[in-house]
Amino acid sequence: MSEETGIRRGLTDYGDKDFSQYLRSSFARSMGLSKEMLRKPIVGIAMTPSGFNNCHRNMPELVEAVSRGVLAAGALPVAFPTISLGEVFLNPTSMVYRNLMSMDTEEMVRAQPMDSVVLIGGCDKTVPAQLMGAASANIPAVQLVTGPMMTGRHRGERLGACTDCRRFWGKYRAGEVEREEIDQVEGRLATTAGTCAVMGTASTMACIAETLGMALPGSAAIPAVHADRLVAAEYSGRTAVDLITTPRLPSEIITERSVENAFRMLMAVSGSTNAIIHLTAVAGRLGIRISDTRLNQISDETPVLVDLKPVGDGYMEDFFAAGGVGAVLREIRHLLHLDTVDVTGTRLGDRLEPEMEWVDRRVIRAFDTPVSIQGGLIVLRGNLAPDGAIFKRAAATPELFETEGRAIVFDGLEDLAKRVDDPDLDINANDIMVLKGAGPIAAGMPEAGYLPIPKKLARQGVKDMVRISDARMSGTAFGAIVLHIAPEAAVGGPLAAVRSGDRIRLSVRAKTIELLVSDAEIAERLADFSAPPAHTRGFRALYDRTVLQAPDGCDFDFLTHSGAPRK
Ligand code: FES
């Protein structure tokens, strides 16, 4: 082993190498570590516990289990913190801080003396941030997720955050549920440690991490409170030690072919729209780009096989018991690149060789009897979204797939909150709700694309309408919702030109979103456009100056592979 391993790696520079090493060893020993332990290679454990992150409540026992695996394999585990992003505790939205966490992860992994690292995350933005950081730092890394929550119970039915949060809130807005019951439900939606219990963003990213090969086979869906989650943690520690003697870098695991496989998984599980942004950002750190055309081709070829909320019926605990990611991969095996490798060094084709003993076909369908014959997500183009927009067809009402309607425009989140429930709002169920000013630069791209159905329509029984915006949508939400319109309104995209009363046409068949206003009229309206004021100091100023649009994963320009400045 070279002398640059373990505690001797990357010495602090005082201009005297021996002194640097002597000083570091002296301080390391103050932590009660013997000389023998300090001679071992080091596995860093990037831990992300926080009192503001309920999804990471099981972090201490995961760190302990990873440490056990590292020690048993002969290396020294050293845990260190990075920032943690608890989805519902961040203002204006966690998306603003994903890149900050990725920078924290990348720099701490690179700057501190570790030979490999286990990254423990779970909540929506944490796994993307860790994968982005690992890809850029490019030292051997294993992703471990905290795992999904178990469901709660309410009057005989199972509840899981956060699809059922939205379902009950919708009923409450429509007057079908009283205040007393909604208060009871509040305490029954999220009852254990772990991430949201449905195929939302966190679970989708866990499936993607496993499919990319960055997380151990079989580890994505294990519930947070299940004993197997700790076993997976122990094995993640062991694997990180193996990666020191047989290095496999993130850049060898995250390749164009494994990214395509991950997009296939996203379609087959009908995963979160957010995962498109995150996977694009992870791939972008290594200079990999999957075109819209290819993405739509993957979507058209890959059926939805998983019957889970928010699209179907089950919860992540069912997905785990049914066979998890391994069962889905076997069903779409003929569509996958089988020569990709995972952190254990196993070829995907070899991993999928042994058949599974049993798969619960109520939850994970066979390829020939899918939940739906095409993937859940598509990219739309058109004069309203020249650089693209996303539509989750699997979660939308099919009757709305081909819609032409009158635009009812809300100019930002404040305007939406002020007017959406106004009894005098001129709106009917055939209209198209439009929200602008909620893109990456304008508002940090909040999950506001799931515009609430105006109360007066909800009370008439309207459950879905076409809603379009430059915002994102929670992975646990559903509806005929066009998201991520790019360029966003705040940079003068055509969305900025839409006025109430204009006609808009959505065609899922043609994969288009069109503003039925002449090019000349759009240009004339945009001539008056002026950008909103940017932040002038601190991280938010850096964010405003450098964040890219959704088709580039909303990464910062200087963090991408090329580092080229934003145009
Ligand atoms: Fe953390 Fe949903 S709030 S995963």
Side-chain angles (χ1 to χ4, degrees):
M1 201 159 285
S2 91
E3 61 174 3
E4 279 86 28
T5 60
I7 204 78
R8 294 165 296 281
R9 262 179 92 101
L11 291 169
T12 315
D13 200 349
Y14 302 109
D16 178 344
K17 195 174 168 198
D18 291 340
F19 174 71
S20 296
Q21 188 164 322
Y22 164 76
L23 193 69
R24 179 177 285 177
S25 298
S26 156
F27 279 81
R29 289 182 67 183
S30 80
M31 289 188 274
L33 293 164
S34 66
K35 280 194 141 187
E36 186 197 347
M37 290 305 285
L38 290 175
R39 276 195 289 271
K40 291 180 183 292
I42 290 177
V43 173
I45 304 172
M47 58 175 187
T48 52
S50 165
F52 293 109
N53 194 340
N54 58 295
C55 303
H56 294 193
R57 202 181 87 191
N58 55 342
M59 190 65 57
E61 59 179 8
L62 290 175
V63 172
E64 188 188 325
V66 172
S67 301
R68 185 167 68 235
V70 172
L71 280 170
L76 173 65
V78 179
F80 64 97
T82 70
I83 59 169
S84 185
L85 305 176
E87 188 62 24
V88 300
F89 295 96
L90 287 155
N91 177 278
T93 162
S94 63
M95 192 62 190
V96 169
Y97 301 102
R98 182 202 62 180
N99 297 346
L100 181 63
M101 183 173 172
S102 84
M103 289 166 73
D104 185 359
T105 305
E106 174 184 345
E107 297 305 329
M108 289 305 100
V109 162
R110 190 188 280 128
Q112 299 175 128
M114 63 192 80
D115 301 293
S116 67
V117 63
V118 177
L119 308 154
I120 315 180
C123 196
D124 289 16
K125 307 301 176 298
T126 60
V127 171
Q130 290 182 326
L131 290 173
M132 291 159 76
S136 294
N138 208 25
I139 77 158
V142 180
Q143 180 74 57
L144 173 68
V145 298
T146 56
M149 286 180 207
M150 302 297 284
T151 54
R153 295 288 182 279
H154 174 67
R155 299 185 186 175
E157 71 168 315
R158 290 194 295 170
L159 295 185
C162 207
T163 303
D164 295 321
C165 319
R166 292 172 210 288
R167 183 165 61 84
F168 269 91
W169 193 251
K171 285 185 175 187
Y172 174 63
R173 280 177 60 80
E176 296 166 24
V177 161
E178 297 298 325
R179 184 79 233 179
E180 192 189 337
E181 186 176 0
I182 201 81
D183 286 346
Q184 278 179 348
V185 168
E186 182 187 283
R188 294 171 179 170
L189 284 162
T191 53
T192 76
T195 51
C196 286
V198 299
M199 191 54 81
T201 305
S203 296
T204 307
M205 286 310 302
C207 296
I208 281 175
E210 184 178 327
T211 307
L212 280 174
M214 290 297 292
L216 285 186
S219 66
I222 307 167
V225 295
H226 198 294
D228 286 359
R229 172 66 44 211
L230 298 177
V231 176
E234 184 183 308
Y235 276 111
S236 296
R238 283 180 175 272
T239 304
V241 179
D242 291 344
L243 284 175
I244 299 171
T245 43
T246 318
R248 264 177 300 283
L249 300 174
S251 58
E252 297 169 67
I253 294 171
I254 304 171
T255 62
E256 187 169 338
R257 292 163 82 75
S258 70
V259 170
E260 285 204 354
N261 287 345
F263 273 120
R264 291 241 183 242
M265 176 57 61
L266 170 62
M267 301 305 169
V269 299
S270 192
S272 163
T273 47
N274 290 319
I276 293 189
I277 293 182
H278 298 321
L279 185 51
T280 299
V282 172
R285 292 298 181 96
L286 294 165
I288 300 164
R289 178 77 178 245
I290 309 297
S291 71
D292 291 354
T293 313
R294 180 69 179 138
L295 201 60
N296 279 338
Q297 186 188 1
I298 288 172
S299 181
D300 287 345
E301 292 169 352
T302 314
V304 176
L305 297 177
V306 170
D307 193 0
L308 294 187
K309 288 175 191 283
V311 174
D313 275 338
Y315 295 89
M316 284 303 289
E317 61 197 31
D318 306 316
F319 183 57
F320 169 62
V325 167
V328 178
L329 287 172
R330 281 174 175 81
E331 291 305 319
I332 57 171
R333 178 175 7 203
H334 58 289
L335 296 173
L336 297 171
H337 302 295
L338 296 174
D339 55 352
T340 59
V341 286
D342 63 32
V343 279
T344 69
T346 308
R347 274 180 75 254
L348 182 60
D350 295 337
R351 174 191 168 183
L352 302 181
E353 200 66 39
E355 290 303 326
M356 298 191 73
E357 287 166 14
W358 181 79
V359 175
D360 187 344
R361 293 296 177 200
R362 291 169 302 179
V363 180
I364 302 172
R365 305 280 181 80
F367 189 84
D368 294 336
T369 52
V371 175
S372 76
I373 55 168
Q374 293 178 317
L377 306 172
I378 52 169
V379 181
L380 306 175
R381 288 272 184 168
N383 69 349
L384 197 44
D387 293 341
I390 299 296
F391 186 78
K392 187 171 182 176
R393 57 185 166 188
T397 308
E399 291 72 34
L400 296 173
F401 281 7
E402 307 299 318
T403 295
E404 186 190 314
R406 181 179 65 142
I408 305 297
V409 176
F410 299 92
D411 211 351
L413 295 166
E414 217 174 296
D415 184 38
L416 175 70
K418 206 162 61 191
R419 292 195 297 125
V420 71
D421 288 335
D422 183 343
D424 295 329
L425 180 68
D426 174 19
I427 192 165
N428 63 60
N430 302 320
D431 291 332
I432 294 181
M433 298 173 75
V434 178
L435 171 66
K436 33 176 146 162
I441 291 178
M445 216 179 179
E447 291 185 337
Y450 179 71
L451 277 73
I453 303 285
K455 237 179 205 164
K456 68 177 186 184
L457 297 181
R459 296 211 155 135
Q460 291 163 21
V462 177
K463 298 268 189 270
D464 198 3
M465 292 173 67
V466 177
R467 290 160 270 179
I468 73 175
S469 72
D470 45 13
R472 294 178 302 119
M473 169 173 87
S474 165
T476 61
F478 42 85
I481 296 174
V482 178
L483 301 155
H484 309 180
I485 285 191
E488 64 173 300
V491 297
L495 183 63
V498 185
R499 293 179 184 165
S500 285
D502 289 346
R503 307 288 297 175
I504 290 176
R505 185 186 300 138
L506 163 71
S507 172
V508 173
R509 196 183 324 113
K511 299 189 175 76
T512 54
I513 182 81
E514 301 281 352
L515 177 61
L516 303 180
V517 170
S518 71
D519 290 351
E521 171 70 17
I522 293 174
E524 196 181 312
R525 291 182 191 178
L526 290 177
D528 292 340
F529 170 79
S530 61
H535 293 85
T536 52
R537 68 158 300 280
F539 173 72
R540 293 300 299 276
L542 176 71
Y543 177 98
D544 287 354
R545 272 202 305 271
T546 61
V547 74
L548 299 169
Q549 295 287 295
D552 292 307
C554 297
D555 205 352
F556 291 162
D557 57 7
F558 63 94
L559 292 175
T560 61
H561 188 66
S562 72
R566 183 171 88 190
K567 292 194 192 87

